[in-house]
């Protein structure tokens, strides 16, 4: 079991870090569980403040209505810094079957060339 302490500081509710429960019946509780980047497989450090975790909702193919289910993807700050976050998220969603692969869509420049003819 973890306990959260809450304090009020200048009108803001501040939550303290979970404390370890060292009671003999429960064993030792872990305080930090590192995440892995879904795109690169790298561990996301606790100090990687550019990292994000995104829940992508599932929709019913027939109606297009959200089904109350989602798939979680974590992207490390490195991917976002390099400007590859959108590509990585598209690839991951396609691999999970949540959308078509981006290869199946026409490239914008080829669509513009077709309009000129």
């Amino acid at each position: 079991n973890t306990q959260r302490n809450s304090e009020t500081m200048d009108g803001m509710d501040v939550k303290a870090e979970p404390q370890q429960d060292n009671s003999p019946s429960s064993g030792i509780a872990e305080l930090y569980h590192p995440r892995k980047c879904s795109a690169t497989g790298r561990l996301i450090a606790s100090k990687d403040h550019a990292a994000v975790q995104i829940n992508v909702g599932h929709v019913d193919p027939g109606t297009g209505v959200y089904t109350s289910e989602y798939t979680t993807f974590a992207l490390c700050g490195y991917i976002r810094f390099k400007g590859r976050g959108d590509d990585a998220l598209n690839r991951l969603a396609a691999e999970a079957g949540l959308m078509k692969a981006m290869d199946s869509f026409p490239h914008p420049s080829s669509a513009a060339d077709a309009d000129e003819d």
Side-chain angles (χ1 to χ4, degrees):
N1 294 337
T2 59
Q3 301 170 346
R4 288 204 175 267
N5 297 329
S6 134
E7 301 173 359
T8 303
M9 175 187 281
D10 297 331
M12 297 185 339
D13 187 31
V14 179
K15 303 251 184 213
E17 290 296 318
Q19 297 177 352
Q20 222 172 16
D21 183 11
N22 291 330
S23 63
S25 62
S26 65
I28 294 180
E30 292 292 323
L31 296 181
Y32 176 69
H33 298 284
R35 295 176 296 164
K36 282 181 109 176
C37 177
S38 301
T40 62
R42 293 178 176 203
L43 281 178
I44 298 176
S46 61
K47 295 294 183 179
D48 186 353
H49 297 295
V52 294
Q53 183 168 315
I54 300 172
N55 295 332
V56 178
H58 297 194
V59 294
D60 182 77
T63 61
V65 176
Y66 176 60
T67 63
S68 300
E69 297 176 344
Y70 56 87
T71 301
T72 303
F73 299 109
L75 297 175
C76 62
Y78 173 78
I79 289 291
R80 298 185 65 221
F81 174 75
K82 291 293 186 182
R84 301 287 181 217
D86 57 338
D87 293 335
L89 190 58
N90 286 338
R91 181 180 56 81
L92 292 166
E95 288 173 1
L98 300 173
M99 64 178 269
K100 289 184 191 178
M102 293 304 291
D103 313 6
S104 64
F105 296 106
H107 192 271
S109 64
S110 63
D113 292 341
D115 291 340
E116 292 176 4
D117 292 338

